[in-house]
């Protein structure tokens, strides 16, 4: 009874084991020395694409792609000597002629007349690896710095064939001898179990330079020992070249801008010297004439009138002082005495308005401010304030000169496209179109006498363009004129 029970239990166990094998995701089978199927489970049906009936009397080797058959047969022979040397990857051809990648584990049965074969479909893994191989540049390097494996993408990038890279030192792609220290640094990081990130200037087989953004990670064996490193590389040559070209272009633009600035300053200086010459010519003639008269009076003995003599000397002294004042005014905008500083637009406007309103006449004019939040910028605060005051005074005088009732001046300040704008508008009827193009020229004036803070519109223009690196302009609107100052931040 006991023996019958054991046979029944053994049969039940065998049936359960058979059920487990049949329902395994892996293809499990038994083949003979020729590769003929003796047994196969259900998983071989989706793996090879044949039904269970069609697989009867089929030879497993017949499914293997021709260039893998030799490796499989050699594995069978090795198993006869060492039943644990059993892993291999092969390619089989399915019934629909599609390739399927299989990882095969092979072992001999105890009688060494049959083989147990275990197959795992790794087609997706292989496909992913092929994509990575084709599109991601990577290398595997051992602890001695010798290349052990490369991706197709890296070979394409470097221009080397696989046999030209394997067992070669990883410095094979260095661009110059001094770059050895970069690769030494990489190995040093790896040996200390550290990752390395950086940009490497490399050289292709044909000598052309390329740049790679590289990430290096140490690799380990199953005992935790560092065996080398894996590099992932991304070609950034175009990015580097673009940056170089951009910097070169920016440098060229700056050089051209500086040249234009110097040419502009030279033009302004030439114009200013012409103005200075004009300012000096008449006083010098008068001084010369008076000096010659005094010299003649002394020669002829006609200098008995001491009061007249003293008056002539005084007039000469006054004319010399005017020349000195002209020089001071010339220096004031050729070389500013103040230094650039952080300027808040609201502060400049408040100061200009404060100065402007000290004139009693300004009380009869409605003054409007419209100032938005403006970022601080570097400028000559005092000179900018003086320019605003000068334009405000010009607007006020235009209102009184044209006898405008209910005179209005509006000062607006805003920022647009990294440029700060100051606009001063009035309701004095505008500037005559015949003279609007001349209003910033030296010696041109619509006034009968000199007013304001001692700077004409011409000098405002010189300081704005030469020192503030901005622009000043005037346009007419419905009821008056608008002066606009544009300063780059």
């Amino acid at each position: 009874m006991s023996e019958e029970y054991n046979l029944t239990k053994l049969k039940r166990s065998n049936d359960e084991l058979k059920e487990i094998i049949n329902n395994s995701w892996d293809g499990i089978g038994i083949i003979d020395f020729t590769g003929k199927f003796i047994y196969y489970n259900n998983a071989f049906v989706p793996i090879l694409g044949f039904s269970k009936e069609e697989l009867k009397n089929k030879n497993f080797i017949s499914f293997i792609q021709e260039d893998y058959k030799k490796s499989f047969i050699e594995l069978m022979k090795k198993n006869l000597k060492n039943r644990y040397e059993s892993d291999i990857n092969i390619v089989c051809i399915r019934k629909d002629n599609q390739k399927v990648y299989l990882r095969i584990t092979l072992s001999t049965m105890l009688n060494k007349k049959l083989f147990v074969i275990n197959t795992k479909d790794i087609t997706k893994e292989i496909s992913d690896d092929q994509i990575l191989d084709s599109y991601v540049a990577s290398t595997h390097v051992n602890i001695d710095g010798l290349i052990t494996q490369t991706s197709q993408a890296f070979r394409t990038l470097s221009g080397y064939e696989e046999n030209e890279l394997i067992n070669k030192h990883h410095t094979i792609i260095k661009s110059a001898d001094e770059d050895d220290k970069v690769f030494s640094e990489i190995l040093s990081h790896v040996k200390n179990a550290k990752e390395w990130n950086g940009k490497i200037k490399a050289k292709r087989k044909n000598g052309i330079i390329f740049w790679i953004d590289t990430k290096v990670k140490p690799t380990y064996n199953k005992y935790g020992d560092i065996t080398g490193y894996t590099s992932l590389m991304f070609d950034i040559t175009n990015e580097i070249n673009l940056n170089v070209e951009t910097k070169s272009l920016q440098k060229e633009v700056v050089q051209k801008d500086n040249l234009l600035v110097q040419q502009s300053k030279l033009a302004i200086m030439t114009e200013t010297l012409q103005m200075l010459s004009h300012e000096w010519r008449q006083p010098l003639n008068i001084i010369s004439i008076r000096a010659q008269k005094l010299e003649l009076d002394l020669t002829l003995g006609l200098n008995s009138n001491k009061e007249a003599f003293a008056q002539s000397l005084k007039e000469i002294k006054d004319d010399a002082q005017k020349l000195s004042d002209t020089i001071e005014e010339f220096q004031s905008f050729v070389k500013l005495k103040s230094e650039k500083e952080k300027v808040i637009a609201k502060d400049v406007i408040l100061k200009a308005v404060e100065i402007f309103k000290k004139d009693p006449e300004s009380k009869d004019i409605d003054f409007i401010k419209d100032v938005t939040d403006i970022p601080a910028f570097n400028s000559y605060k005092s000179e900018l304030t003086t320019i605003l005051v000068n334009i405000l005074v010009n607007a006020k005088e235009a209102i009184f000169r044209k006898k405008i009732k209910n005179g209005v001046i509006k000062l607006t300040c805003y920022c647009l496209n990294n440029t700060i704008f100051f606009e001063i508008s009035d309701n004095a009827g505008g500037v005559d179109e015949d003279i609007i193009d001349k209003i910033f020229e030296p010696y041109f004036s619509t006034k009968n006498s000199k007013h304001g803070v001692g700077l004409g519109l011409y000098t405002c223009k010189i300081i704005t363009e030469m020192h503030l690196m901005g622009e000043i302009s005037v346009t007419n609107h419905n009821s008056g004129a608008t002066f606009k100052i544009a300063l780059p931040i």
Side-chain angles (χ1 to χ4, degrees):
M1 190 71 181
S2 177
E3 185 178 349
E4 183 180 348
Y5 171 77
N6 288 335
L7 287 174
T8 303
K9 185 177 180 182
L10 180 62
K11 185 176 184 302
R12 186 184 308 117
S13 297
N14 286 338
D15 290 341
E16 289 174 354
L17 180 60
K18 187 176 180 181
E19 185 68 18
I20 292 171
I21 291 174
N22 272 331
N23 290 289
S24 171
W25 287 98
D26 294 345
I28 300 174
I30 299 174
I31 58 175
D32 63 14
F33 289 143
T34 67
K36 181 182 176 183
F37 275 121
I38 305 300
Y39 166 80
Y40 47 86
N41 69 349
N42 294 331
F44 272 104
V45 173
I47 289 175
L48 297 176
F50 290 88
S51 68
K52 290 200 75 171
E53 288 297 320
E54 290 173 323
L55 286 173
K56 284 181 179 179
N57 301 318
K58 290 281 186 180
N59 189 305
F60 178 74
I61 296 176
S62 67
F63 296 111
I64 300 175
Q65 187 171 290
E66 197 63 39
D67 48 348
Y68 287 90
K69 286 182 178 179
K70 183 178 179 182
S71 298
F72 182 79
I73 293 170
E74 287 179 355
L75 182 65
M76 293 175 70
K77 292 178 180 178
K78 287 180 181 179
N79 260 265
L80 295 175
K81 299 177 181 178
N82 183 358
R83 63 191 299 255
Y84 298 106
E85 193 171 353
S86 57
D87 292 329
I88 190 174
N89 291 345
I90 63 171
V91 177
C92 288
I93 305 300
R94 287 166 45 89
K95 183 179 180 180
D96 56 8
N97 290 323
Q98 296 296 313
K99 292 181 180 179
V100 58
Y101 291 84
L102 301 177
R103 180 172 292 124
I104 301 294
T105 302
L106 198 67
S107 60
T108 55
M109 299 186 75
L110 292 176
N111 59 14
K112 289 195 174 183
K113 294 181 179 180
L114 299 173
F115 296 93
V116 175
I117 183 171
N118 184 290
T119 65
K120 183 178 181 64
D121 187 349
I122 57 170
T123 305
K124 186 179 185 306
E125 295 175 32
I126 295 294
S127 298
D128 291 343
D129 288 344
Q130 287 177 336
I131 291 172
L132 291 174
D133 185 67
S134 299
Y135 294 101
V136 178
S138 64
T139 59
H140 297 280
V141 176
N142 66 22
I143 201 67
D144 297 318
L146 300 180
I147 299 171
T148 59
Q149 187 178 339
T150 66
S151 69
Q152 180 58 53
F154 176 77
R155 297 194 290 274
T156 301
L157 182 62
S158 65
Y160 288 96
E161 297 296 332
E162 187 172 22
N163 62 339
E164 295 174 312
L165 292 169
I166 301 301
N167 292 324
K168 297 297 191 300
H169 202 262
H170 60 167
T171 58
I172 189 172
I173 61 169
K174 69 179 182 179
S175 61
D177 289 339
E178 58 266 24
D179 293 332
D180 280 332
K181 60 184 181 182
V182 175
F183 292 92
S184 297
E185 182 183 313
I186 291 173
L187 274 182
S188 176
H189 272 65
V190 168
K191 289 176 181 179
N192 287 287
K194 296 179 182 178
E195 294 184 6
W196 187 92
N197 295 283
K199 294 178 176 61
I200 296 177
K201 184 180 181 182
K203 185 165 64 175
R204 293 189 173 93
K205 181 181 177 181
N206 60 9
I208 294 176
I209 298 297
F210 67 102
W211 285 86
I212 45 178
D213 193 355
T214 307
K215 184 178 182 67
V216 172
K217 297 186 71 172
T219 53
Y220 302 85
N221 62 17
K222 63 182 179 180
Y223 304 108
D225 302 320
I226 296 173
T227 58
Y229 70 84
T230 297
S231 293
L232 290 179
M233 292 159 278
F234 302 93
D235 186 1
I236 55 170
T237 308
N238 291 337
E239 178 186 336
I240 295 292
N241 290 341
L242 180 61
N243 288 338
V244 170
E245 290 174 5
T246 301
K247 288 178 181 178
S248 176
L249 181 60
Q250 287 174 341
K251 184 177 180 182
E252 186 178 340
V253 169
V254 169
Q255 289 174 341
K256 287 183 178 179
D257 285 347
N258 289 337
L259 180 60
L260 288 173
V261 169
Q262 294 303 319
Q263 290 175 341
S264 176
K265 287 186 176 182
L266 182 61
I268 291 171
M269 288 293 294
T270 303
E271 191 175 349
T272 304
L273 287 171
Q274 290 174 351
M275 179 188 75
L276 187 64
S277 174
H278 178 87
E279 286 281 353
W280 271 33
R281 189 172 289 115
Q282 186 176 357
L284 281 173
N285 286 338
I286 294 173
I287 289 173
S288 178
I289 291 170
R290 284 173 176 161
Q292 288 174 11
K293 183 177 182 302
L294 287 177
E295 184 182 15
L296 183 61
D297 287 347
L298 285 170
T299 302
L300 297 176
L302 300 176
N303 59 336
S304 58
N305 189 339
K306 292 182 179 181
E307 291 182 0
F309 190 83
Q311 180 61 32
S312 293
L313 287 176
K314 183 180 182 301
E315 290 173 351
I316 290 175
K317 182 180 176 181
D318 290 343
D319 287 337
Q321 184 61 46
K322 289 179 181 177
L323 293 178
S324 178
D325 292 342
T326 304
I327 288 292
E328 287 296 322
E329 188 172 342
F330 169 73
Q331 287 181 332
S332 71
F333 60 83
V334 171
K335 185 177 181 180
L336 301 183
K337 294 179 181 178
S338 62
E339 297 291 333
K340 277 191 173 184
E341 58 184 303
K342 280 286 183 183
V343 173
I344 305 295
K346 287 184 178 180
D347 294 344
V348 174
I349 291 170
L350 289 174
K351 185 64 177 176
V353 172
E354 179 187 345
I355 296 172
F356 172 70
K357 287 190 173 180
K358 285 181 180 179
D359 184 352
E361 291 181 340
S362 66
K363 294 179 181 178
D364 298 326
I365 296 175
D366 289 333
F367 191 86
I368 302 171
K369 293 198 302 286
D370 182 7
V371 183
T372 58
D373 289 332
I374 304 296
F377 60 101
N378 287 325
S379 189
Y380 295 96
K381 186 176 182 179
S382 177
E383 283 71 19
L384 178 56
T385 303
T386 303
I387 290 171
L388 293 179
V389 172
N390 189 66
I391 297 174
L392 289 171
V393 170
N394 273 273
K396 180 202 70 174
E397 291 176 349
I399 289 171
F400 282 109
R401 189 169 57 252
K402 296 185 180 181
K403 300 178 181 180
I404 303 296
K405 294 181 179 181
N406 302 320
V408 177
I409 296 176
K410 182 178 181 181
L411 196 161
T412 305
C413 182
Y414 58 94
C415 182
L416 183 65
N417 296 329
N418 287 325
T419 302
I420 294 177
F421 294 92
F422 296 88
E423 293 184 3
I424 298 175
S425 303
D426 59 53
N427 64 339
V431 183
D432 192 331
E433 292 294 339
D434 293 335
I435 64 171
I436 196 168
D437 294 333
K438 301 177 182 179
I439 200 167
F440 293 108
E441 292 181 4
Y443 314 116
F444 184 84
S445 177
T446 58
K447 308 170 189 177
N448 295 323
S449 61
K450 190 175 182 181
H451 300 280
V453 293
L455 286 175
L457 291 176
Y458 169 70
T459 310
C460 290
K461 176 177 181 289
I462 295 297
I463 294 176
T464 301
E465 294 180 354
M466 187 173 183
H467 297 290
L468 306 183
M469 308 309 294
E471 296 179 357
I472 185 170
S473 60
V474 61
T475 55
N476 286 326
H477 56 82
N478 291 336
S479 59
T482 296
F483 284 82
K484 179 186 286 187
I485 300 169
L487 305 178
I489 295 180

